[in-house]
Amino acid sequence: MKKFLQKVCLLVLPLLALMYPLDKLLSAGLKRVHGEGGGDIGELEVMRDIYDGKINSDIVIYGSSRAWIQINSSILEDSLKKQVYNLGIDGHNFHLQYMRHRELLKHNRKPQMIVLSVDIFSLQRRADLYEYSQFMPYMLWNENMYNFTSTYQGFNKTDYFIPLMRYAGKTEVLDVIVRNLTHDIPDYRTKGFRGMHADWNDDFDNARKTGVKYTIHYDTASIRLFEQFIRECKKDNIQLVTIYAPEYIEGQQFIAGRADLFNLYRRFFEKYHIPFLDFTNDELCFDKKYFYNSMHLNYIGADLFTSKLAHRLKALQTDN
């Protein structure tokens, strides 16, 4: 038995010694991925900035796609004379927004202000690890990432601990790495933001035809984490400002329990004395030309909204 184990070790150890440098090589290539294509590529750019310590901003924007698509970092910088970065994450709720917050504080200086964009999805949680490749370069032996992503459908637990395992079978990721090595293209996002050059699509009209309202399914763990985050910002002396970005007015009527959600948010914000800037009755909400679907502003609407937000944030800075 002892000789058998020795033979196994002689076979396995050289293999493991080779797997780690190959893992490092693939991860380095994936970290460099940028440019046109959207999806995971924009998220990879943001994750790279987090782990390379390149955010280091006075004001950081948190939220979902309703943050990174709708809040123009450059406009806020020009207006507020502060460094701004948009950390909005596509398709994920507060659970993974908070994970990014933890990694941000680990690798960058603490922001003076966090602007948290909340919406109907913030306190829910999806089952799958949407746009999973953004995590791949950083997940090996990363305890924080393991704790926050391992319960999603996407990776096996061994993927977090054994080099190269998470790349097995991910041919689309390998294709992206190779393609990016041969093209010199600009980043997809600017300081985490990208405005959408798109006109109104059929998403809302098709949903309205069904006559079925969207129902919010709350995630208890996310609600607890949300309150924990508020307390931590208070403890760390980070000014927290919460916002609800514009939604197309007719779309607001197709959310079941929407009033209950706003009451839940307001209870938290009143309890901890957190400013809540609600733009759901703003004039932008009444004109389709500023949206490409009921939940997202196009680039014209985003710039107009960001200018309005800058004015409100400037007033809060003056008050403090």
Side-chain angles (χ1 to χ4, degrees):
M1 184 67 179
K2 184 177 179 181
K3 288 184 178 180
F4 173 75
L5 291 175
Q6 288 175 339
K7 289 181 179 180
V8 170
C9 289
L10 288 174
L11 289 171
V12 172
L13 290 178
L15 182 61
L16 289 175
L18 181 63
M19 288 170 69
Y20 181 67
L22 285 175
D23 186 293
K24 293 283 286 184
L25 182 65
L26 287 175
S27 295
L30 193 54
K31 289 175 185 179
R32 290 195 297 269
V33 167
H34 64 284
E36 293 295 332
D40 288 33
I41 291 177
E43 301 304 335
L44 280 162
E45 292 173 356
V46 172
M47 294 291 272
R48 182 182 66 231
D49 285 349
I50 291 173
Y51 285 93
D52 286 353
K54 291 183 178 179
I55 293 188
N56 288 321
S57 295
D58 306 304
I59 300 173
V60 183
I61 314 297
Y62 290 5
S64 63
S65 59
R66 284 174 41 79
W68 73 263
I69 286 173
Q70 302 190 140
I71 303 175
N72 190 325
S73 310
S74 299
I75 290 177
L76 287 184
E77 283 195 343
D78 290 343
S79 179
L80 302 176
K81 310 305 177 189
K82 300 277 189 179
Q83 290 178 299
V84 179
Y85 196 101
N86 192 325
L87 215 63
I89 182 171
D90 198 19
H92 285 291
N93 81 322
F94 184 74
H95 185 78
L96 290 189
Q97 294 168 27
Y98 179 78
M99 185 211 75
R100 277 191 170 179
H101 167 70
R102 292 274 297 268
E103 296 298 273
L104 172 79
L105 295 183
K106 190 186 303 182
H107 299 280
N108 299 264
R109 67 176 170 85
K110 181 178 71 175
Q112 299 170 8
M113 175 189 288
I114 292 172
V115 178
L116 172 62
S117 173
V118 297
D119 52 47
I120 63 172
F121 305 106
S122 298
L123 302 180
Q124 300 187 100
R125 185 177 168 188
R126 66 188 302 150
D128 64 308
L129 195 58
Y130 181 62
E131 297 187 342
Y132 63 86
S133 71
Q134 63 182 293
F135 307 105
M136 292 177 72
Y138 309 101
M139 59 188 280
L140 185 65
W141 306 324
N142 185 327
E143 181 180 5
N144 189 47
M145 193 167 286
Y146 174 78
N147 290 337
F148 279 90
T149 65
S150 61
T151 55
Y152 287 84
Q153 299 168 7
F155 292 106
N156 297 317
K157 291 189 176 180
T158 54
D159 293 332
Y160 294 85
F161 302 105
I162 301 178
L164 217 58
M165 289 290 291
R166 64 196 183 283
Y167 288 103
K170 301 295 193 303
T171 55
E172 71 283 0
V173 174
L174 300 178
D175 288 343
V176 168
I177 294 173
V178 173
R179 188 169 65 249
N180 208 256
L181 290 173
T182 60
H183 291 77
D184 185 16
I185 46 181
D187 283 350
Y188 182 71
R189 299 187 192 176
T190 302
K191 290 183 173 288
F193 166 78
R194 182 178 177 97
M196 293 293 126
H197 290 251
D199 297 322
W200 181 263
N201 62 33
D202 296 330
D203 290 352
F204 172 68
D205 297 322
N206 292 335
R208 181 167 53 182
K209 289 175 184 177
T210 68
V212 178
K213 291 189 174 183
Y214 181 83
T215 301
I216 302 169
H217 298 283
Y218 295 100
D219 176 57
T220 304
S222 293
I223 294 175
R224 289 197 299 266
L225 191 63
F226 187 76
E227 185 169 17
Q228 176 185 323
F229 167 73
I230 294 174
R231 292 197 301 265
E232 288 175 356
C233 286
K234 290 280 187 182
K235 180 182 177 182
D236 294 338
N237 199 30
I238 298 172
Q239 183 181 7
L240 177 62
V241 178
T242 56
I243 67 168
Y244 204 110
E247 290 174 338
Y248 181 58
I249 193 65
E250 291 185 41
Q252 297 179 28
Q253 301 165 9
F254 277 79
I255 309 298
R258 193 171 182 278
D260 294 333
L261 174 67
F262 272 71
N263 288 335
L264 175 61
Y265 280 138
R266 288 193 174 98
R267 283 200 297 272
F268 278 127
F269 304 148
E270 289 171 4
K271 177 179 178 180
Y272 293 100
H273 308 288
I274 304 297
F276 180 43
L277 310 181
D278 181 5
F279 290 89
T280 55
N281 201 40
D282 186 87
E283 60 184 353
L284 292 173
C285 300
F286 296 84
D287 198 330
K288 282 183 182 179
K289 72 180 181 183
Y290 299 120
F291 293 83
Y292 68 89
N293 61 33
S294 65
M295 293 285 183
H296 296 91
L297 296 161
N298 58 31
Y299 79 101
I300 299 172
D303 285 359
L304 289 170
F305 165 56
T306 305
S307 296
K308 292 170 181 280
L309 176 60
H311 178 74
R312 300 284 296 274
L313 293 177
K314 190 178 294 185
L316 287 174
Q317 287 183 328
T318 302
D319 292 341
N320 286 282

